[in-house]
């Protein structure tokens, strides 16, 4: 094997390791929260199943006959089997087709998870923008917890986050790698992707601020209502005893 071949293998291995690291790196806190929630549910199922096995073993030993060494060994093996059976369920990675139908409360987090999987395949400027979009999705997520799915704003956000953003990234990936640097209609696919991501980052941030402003307006209206309703109470003279 020549030195050039060794160098190529080394570069390829380093590139694979880098892609692996990039894939694991979250772009927002909501994706981390969803993965942690799945882990806790999985651990809960393991603990419940193990508890049932232990209770069954205790009842068997108390009412029928002591377990003995063989029984304890069988119990240990059974607990390992329970842990493997209930703990092996992987996190359900979202597909692009699933995002438009995702529950509004989980839309930001599941979109972050989908983007994290696509991020390593994007050019460096686009990866930076994806990180920024993760920040904007984190800002948007709290507003989506209370937003009525029937509101027009909900439909607009679902289209923006669940359709337009994934389709831009997926459309870029459908272009052969060798053609992504070639100009078409004055712009290369790389430039089109970066420009589209910049626009979507701004739009998602604007949507988050608009929803937040709407909530602040509601709070301000409520405060003014209370001030009018109870106006003068503090200034009234207390009755003389």
């Amino acid at each position: 094997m020549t030195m050039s071949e060794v160098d190529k293998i080394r570069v390829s291995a380093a590139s694979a390791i880098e892609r692996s690291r990039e894939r694991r790196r979250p772009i927002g806190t909501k994706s981390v929260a969803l993965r942690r929630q799945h882990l806790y549910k999985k651990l809960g199922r393991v603990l419940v199943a193990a508890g049932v096995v232990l209770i069954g073993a205790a009842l068997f030993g108390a009412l029928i006959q002591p377990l003995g060494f063989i029984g304890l060994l069988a119990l240990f093996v059974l607990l390992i089997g329970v842990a493997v059976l209930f703990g092996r369920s992987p996190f359900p990675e979202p597909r692009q087709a699933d995002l438009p139908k995702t529950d509004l409360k989980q839309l930001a987090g599941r979109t972050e998870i989908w983007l994290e999987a696509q991020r390593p395949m994007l050019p460096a400027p686009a990866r930076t923008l994806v990180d920024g979009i993760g920040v904007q999705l984190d800002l948007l997520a709290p507003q989506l917890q209370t937003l009525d799915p029937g509101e027009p704003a909900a439909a607009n956000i679902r289209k923006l986050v669940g359709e337009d953003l994934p389709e831009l990234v997926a459309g870029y990936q459908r272009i052969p790698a060798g053609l992504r640097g070639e100009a078409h209609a004055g712009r290369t696919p790389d430039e089109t992707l970066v420009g589209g991501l910049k626009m979507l980052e701004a739009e998602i941030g604007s949507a988050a601020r608009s929803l937040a402003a709407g909530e602040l307006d509601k709070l301000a209206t409520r405060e003014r209502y209370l001030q009018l309703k109870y106006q003068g109470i503090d200034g009234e003279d207390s009755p003389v005893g």
Side-chain angles (χ1 to χ4, degrees), residues 3 8 26 28 33 46 55 59 63 87 93 108-109 115 134-135 146 159 167 175 177 235:
M3 287 300 298
K8 288 180 181 179
V46 171
I55 291 173
L59 291 175
L63 301 177
E93 297 286 342
L115 285 173
V135 173
T146 56
K159 185 176 188 307
E167 180 53 34
I175 299 173

Side-chain angles (χ1 to χ4, degrees), residues 79-95:
L79 288 174
I80 293 177
V82 165
V84 171
L85 178 64
F86 289 91
R88 67 182 179 182
S89 60
F91 183 85
E93 297 286 342
R95 300 174 303 171

Side-chain angles (χ1 to χ4, degrees), residues 29-234:
T29 61
K30 301 310 172 184
S31 62
V32 175
L34 285 180
R35 291 186 184 278
R36 186 181 296 123
Q37 183 181 21
H38 174 76
L39 176 62
Y40 289 161
K41 287 182 178 179
K42 185 163 59 175
L43 290 176
R45 290 194 297 269
V46 171
L47 291 175
V48 169
V52 170
V53 170
L54 290 173
I55 291 173
L59 291 175
F60 181 88
L63 301 177
I64 300 177
Q65 68 178 30
L67 293 178
F69 176 76
I70 300 299
L72 290 175
L73 183 60
L75 176 61
F76 179 72
V77 172
L78 184 58
L79 288 174
I80 293 177
V82 165
V84 171
L85 178 64
F86 289 91
R88 67 182 179 182
S89 60
F91 183 85
E93 297 286 342
R95 300 174 303 171
Q96 181 188 353
D98 298 330
L99 293 177
K101 301 173 286 186
T102 298
D103 177 52
L104 205 59
K105 294 180 179 180
Q106 294 190 349
L107 180 60
R110 294 191 71 78
T111 301
E112 286 179 4
I113 292 172
W114 187 84
L115 285 173
E116 288 166 6
Q118 316 309 314
R119 188 181 182 279
M121 281 80 77
L122 303 180
R127 292 199 296 267
T128 301
L129 288 168
V130 165
D131 291 340
I133 288 174
V135 173
Q136 301 304 326
L137 289 172
D138 277 350
L139 295 175
L140 179 65
Q143 322 304 330
L144 300 183
Q145 303 305 306
T146 56
L147 182 62
D148 183 355
E151 290 284 338
N156 292 335
I157 289 174
R158 191 180 292 279
K159 185 176 188 307
L160 177 67
V161 175
E163 296 182 29
D164 295 343
L165 174 58
E167 180 53 34
L168 173 66
V169 175
Y172 170 81
Q173 292 178 336
R174 287 194 292 267
I175 299 173
L179 300 179
R180 292 173 183 172
E182 296 185 7
H184 177 72
R187 301 182 74 186
T188 66
D190 284 351
E191 293 170 342
T192 300
L193 173 67
V194 169
L197 289 175
K198 284 182 180 178
M199 181 187 68
L200 288 169
E201 180 185 9
E203 288 296 321
I204 294 170
S206 176
R209 288 190 294 272
S210 296
L211 288 177
E215 292 298 321
L216 291 174
D217 288 343
K218 290 179 183 178
L219 290 175
T221 301
R222 180 68 177 171
E223 183 180 4
R224 285 195 296 271
Y225 167 75
L226 292 175
Q227 287 174 344
L228 290 173
K229 183 176 181 180
Y230 299 107
Q231 187 175 13
I233 288 181
D234 293 337

